[in-house]
Amino acid sequence: MDKEFHYDIVIVGAGPAGSSAAFSSASKGIKVALLEKEDSVAETVRTSGVTWIQNIKEYKIPEDCYNPIKNYSFCSPNNEVTISDTVARAAVLDVRKTYRWLAQQAENQGADIFVKTNVKDVIKNQEGDIVGIVANTPEGNVSFFGKIIIDASGFGSIVSKSMGFVTQWEKFGAGAEYEVKAENVDPQTWWLMVGQKYSPAGYAWIFPISNEIVRIGVGVGKPDSSVDPTERLKQLMDSKEGPLADWGKSHLLNFIMDSFQMMVCQEKQYTIT
Ligand SMILES: Cc1cc2nc3c(=O)[nH]c(=O)nc-3n(C[C@H](O)[C@H](O)[C@H](O)COP(=O)(O)OP(=O)(O)OC[C@H]3O[C@@H](n4cnc5c(N)ncnc54)[C@H](O)[C@@H]3O)c2cc1C
């Protein structure tokens, strides 16, 4: 017989949604299991990490996990504008560090984290309601039963799909991102770049994470455009157009994301209340 566990809440996916849900519920004394298919939390990065300082503060995320931003610059091929604030309201996260910190907080509050645990299917009762999930683990199939099951599996949406709540995403974004070291980085200013030459159905961005390192990326809306974001990013890096022209000497440090996909919620598929 498959091994089985019983929890109050079973959360599928240890991304920011799953880890913060685990942290919040475990803090209230609820018995939580957080299941992640990868070998460790935040093994794959799926975001540029831009978020709001108000939300960062709500979770008491340490200051060494993010770079504050107070100037918001936008450019198109022929125009640019910067909106400056007196205080920083946005931030670029050190994504891996933040997500691991969140998961660690959840664990400190009593949540059980299971990595290498790939959820494959749901378990339903006779009424058709979900009561658990089945996951592949290094020890074979394991069943996790819960009073509440949270699907935080991101683009894969394994639970929602198994329950028939969503089918396949009709619209989604695909993005690619590099981490680059450059001579002239303004650590308080981000750039959003719009127009065909940056992205035919989306935008490109430059998000600083320190006074010498930025994350530069291209996002493309699918299926509206067939452009490969990785190819467009390479072209942008080669041409050094727009704000890249002011970088001075620069070199690539890491390839963070390669045509990573994200969901775009559509009213007919998903309603968030
Ligand atoms: C190029 C790009 C840039 C982006 N930049 C930003 C940004 O700057 N700011 C922002 O807010 N958002 C950004 N996003 C969107 C970002 O990806 C989402 O906001 C965020 O990742 C959603 O978090 P999540 O926890 O819901 O899902 P995810 O981060 O996708 O996490 C899902 C987790 O579930 C796990 N999982 C999946 N399937 C299973 C399974 N079957 N069993 C067990 N575990 C499973 C995954 O391994 C993963 O750890 C960006 C997306 C892309 C593609």
Side-chain angles (χ1 to χ4, degrees):
M1 208 176 90
D2 290 349
K3 203 169 177 180
E4 61 179 63
F5 291 103
H6 293 259
Y7 284 89
D8 295 323
I9 300 184
V10 176
I11 302 171
V12 180
S19 292
S20 50
F23 178 19
S24 301
S25 40
S27 310
K28 293 181 173 58
I30 295 166
K31 197 173 171 227
V32 184
L34 178 62
L35 316 182
E36 171 55 51
K37 70 176 178 183
E38 295 193 323
D39 291 357
S40 60
V41 171
E43 188 177 298
T44 309
V45 168
R46 278 171 293 270
T47 169
S48 306
V50 161
T51 193
W52 302 105
I53 288 185
Q54 191 186 342
N55 302 120
I56 286 176
K57 299 253 186 244
E58 270 170 42
Y59 284 91
K60 300 188 173 61
I61 291 169
E63 285 185 5
D64 63 355
C65 285
Y66 61 93
N67 176 49
I69 300 289
K70 65 175 186 181
N71 305 314
Y72 312 98
S73 293
F74 303 85
C75 73
S76 65
N78 300 313
N79 280 304
E80 65 178 64
V81 64
T82 297
I83 300 165
S84 295
D85 210 337
T86 47
V87 291
R89 285 178 215 274
V92 186
L93 295 170
D94 178 329
V95 176
R96 206 163 263 140
K97 195 169 182 180
T98 306
Y99 290 4
R100 288 183 177 164
W101 182 88
L102 273 174
Q104 186 61 54
Q105 299 311 302
E107 201 166 34
N108 293 350
Q109 295 296 327
D112 290 333
I113 301 180
F114 297 82
V115 291
K116 299 180 187 169
T117 300
N118 191 357
V119 173
K120 289 292 184 191
D121 208 354
V122 296
I123 305 167
K124 296 180 188 173
N125 63 15
Q126 284 181 337
E127 286 75 44
D129 298 325
I130 182 168
V131 292
I133 56 87
V134 182
N136 271 153
T137 78
E139 297 168 28
N141 278 352
V142 176
S143 301
F144 290 85
F145 291 91
K147 295 169 194 156
I148 294 174
I149 314 291
I150 297 179
D151 185 355
S153 63
F155 187 80
S157 308
I158 176 72
V159 178
S160 310
K161 281 183 184 166
S162 301
M163 290 299 292
F165 297 151
V166 295
T167 50
Q168 191 51 265
W169 301 108
E170 284 170 20
K171 272 187 175 282
F172 56 92
E177 191 178 65
Y178 290 148
E179 204 165 86
V180 172
K181 188 170 180 177
E183 263 179 338
N184 307 318
V185 172
D186 173 356
Q188 295 188 318
T189 304
W190 83 24
W191 282 93
L192 293 178
M193 292 119 78
V194 294
Q196 287 286 324
K197 81 172 174 189
Y198 296 118
S199 171
Y203 56 92
W205 60 85
I206 299 173
F207 296 146
I209 58 170
S210 72
N211 56 8
E212 53 178 11
I213 298 176
V214 298
R215 301 175 132 212
I216 174 165
V218 170
V220 178
K222 303 284 178 185
D224 308 317
S225 167
S226 59
V227 163
D228 176 348
T230 306
E231 286 306 314
R232 184 51 60 96
L233 179 56
K234 283 182 190 156
Q235 287 163 8
L236 186 57
M237 289 291 292
D238 290 343
S239 64
K240 293 263 182 332
E241 288 184 84
L244 285 77
D246 301 327
W247 271 0
K249 278 196 201 124
S250 64
H251 69 270
L252 191 99
L253 294 177
N254 283 312
F255 196 13
I256 308 277
M257 288 185 273
D258 179 8
S259 294
F260 190 79
Q261 296 171 331
M262 61 182 151
M263 56 197 155
V264 175
C265 294
Q266 289 179 297
E267 207 181 303
K268 70 174 185 181
Q269 291 182 323
Y270 221 53
T271 309
I272 296 178
T273 52

